[in-house]
Amino acid sequence: MSEIVYPPVIKAAQGLFKALDMKFRLEGTERIPRTGGAVLVSNHVSYLDFIFAGLAAHPSRRLVRFMAKKEIFDHRIGGPLMRGMHHIPVDREAGAASYKAALSALKSGEIVGVFAEATISRSFTVKDIKSGAVRMAVAAKVPLIPVTLWGPQRLWTKGRPRRLLQRGVPISIQVGEPMYPKRGDDYEQVTKDLHTQLSELLEKAQRGYPHVPKPGEEWWQPAYLGGSAPTPEEAEALDLKELEARKSRTDG
């Protein structure tokens, strides 16, 4: 597969990270396989997560093909970049085609990145996840690799203004133990186990994060750690309200 776009994009991003004096803490990256397919499953706290989740695979010299909503591919600037990096568009009205493309990539030895929560978690805890990532790993006979991110929400997340040029923001990237689901397993139980591992990894990153919010910045800290982010229940209500508003606009 031709890689004309992805490597230059990575180099440009790394140059920006250096200019902004970002501090990265990566743990468990040796768990990313150096060859063969894998499903990388990440939590979702910001609009930039595909950039940082992809960094988890760099020590293993791997590129991650992320599944992302079709609308990003329709953007006049983002679209050509996403296609050039061979990411996989997800059309909610044609989900079978997206699944088939992801399965084909996995079977050809690619790492496919999935945000199993589907949307950004406003509570900064791991939302409920569906069994699609598990089923995909089973169908392709590849491992599941849990990854959690903490810190990117400070740069750009749902309901907050973009602050992309902040300097010195620490970014934590945690890679968990690979999971090897197989045909005949209880997929719902495996999904629960995946959720548990993601939640534990995320809490470890949050509790070990080197910064605490300044006065007025408590929004980026989860409620269970004393922050002012919505609780999971409040976040669910906000997501439902947003969904209903979107549906109303579509119906109208």
Side-chain angles (χ1 to χ4, degrees):
M1 184 183 297
S2 175
E3 299 296 352
I4 299 173
V5 178
Y6 217 147
V9 168
I10 291 171
K11 285 190 177 296
Q14 289 174 331
L16 181 60
F17 299 156
K18 185 176 181 179
L20 293 175
D21 193 29
M22 284 189 180
K23 310 296 185 183
F24 288 91
R25 180 180 180 182
L26 287 83
E27 294 188 9
T29 56
E30 71 281 357
R31 293 167 176 158
I32 303 287
R34 290 185 173 271
T35 60
V39 179
L40 187 155
V41 186
S42 175
N43 69 316
H44 204 2
V45 295
S46 85
Y47 292 109
L48 306 172
D49 288 344
F50 73 97
I51 298 173
F52 297 113
L55 288 179
H58 289 185
S60 295
R61 301 183 182 277
R62 303 297 304 275
L63 298 174
V64 182
R65 316 300 176 180
F66 285 96
M67 300 185 75
K69 60 184 181 180
K70 176 181 174 291
E71 288 80 0
I72 300 175
F73 291 79
D74 294 335
H75 190 273
R76 65 184 182 86
I77 297 175
L81 288 173
M82 295 294 281
R83 287 188 289 274
M85 290 184 280
H86 306 294
H87 295 313
I88 302 168
V90 176
D91 186 344
R92 289 185 175 88
E93 296 180 1
S98 305
Y99 181 85
K100 184 177 179 181
L103 209 57
S104 176
L106 289 168
K107 289 181 177 180
S108 67
E110 298 283 355
I111 296 180
V112 171
V114 176
F115 295 104
E117 298 165 279
T119 59
I120 290 172
S121 170
R122 299 175 193 260
S123 68
F124 305 135
T125 60
V126 182
K127 298 167 61 174
D128 288 341
I129 60 178
K130 298 188 182 299
S131 62
V134 174
R135 295 175 186 277
M136 195 158 57
V138 170
K141 299 180 180 179
V142 300
L144 279 168
I145 313 290
V147 172
T148 58
L149 309 171
W150 188 241
Q153 78 282 2
R154 297 175 61 185
L155 301 173
W156 188 16
T157 193
K158 184 174 287 189
R160 307 295 308 188
R162 282 176 286 190
R163 302 174 67 183
L164 301 176
L165 299 182
Q166 282 191 86
R167 293 183 57 80
V169 173
I171 304 293
S172 176
I173 303 171
Q174 306 270 338
V175 181
E177 292 286 349
M179 301 173 67
Y180 299 89
K182 60 185 184 299
R183 200 172 300 279
D185 286 350
D186 182 339
Y187 296 161
E188 296 302 325
Q189 183 58 53
V190 176
T191 302
K192 289 179 182 177
D193 294 342
L194 173 61
H195 185 280
T196 296
Q197 188 172 174
L198 286 169
S199 297
E200 290 175 351
L201 284 170
L202 181 58
E203 181 173 352
K204 176 185 176 183
Q206 290 170 337
R207 291 190 181 279
Y209 195 65
H211 285 187
V212 296
K214 297 177 181 178
E217 294 284 316
E218 296 87 353
W219 62 265
W220 61 258
Q221 188 82 302
Y224 84 94
L225 288 178
S228 60
T231 65
E233 295 76 18
E234 291 168 341
E236 185 177 1
L238 288 169
D239 286 344
L240 182 59
K241 185 177 180 180
E242 181 183 66
L243 182 63
E244 290 173 346
R246 189 185 304 129
K247 184 179 178 182
S248 178
R249 289 194 298 270
T250 303
D251 293 344

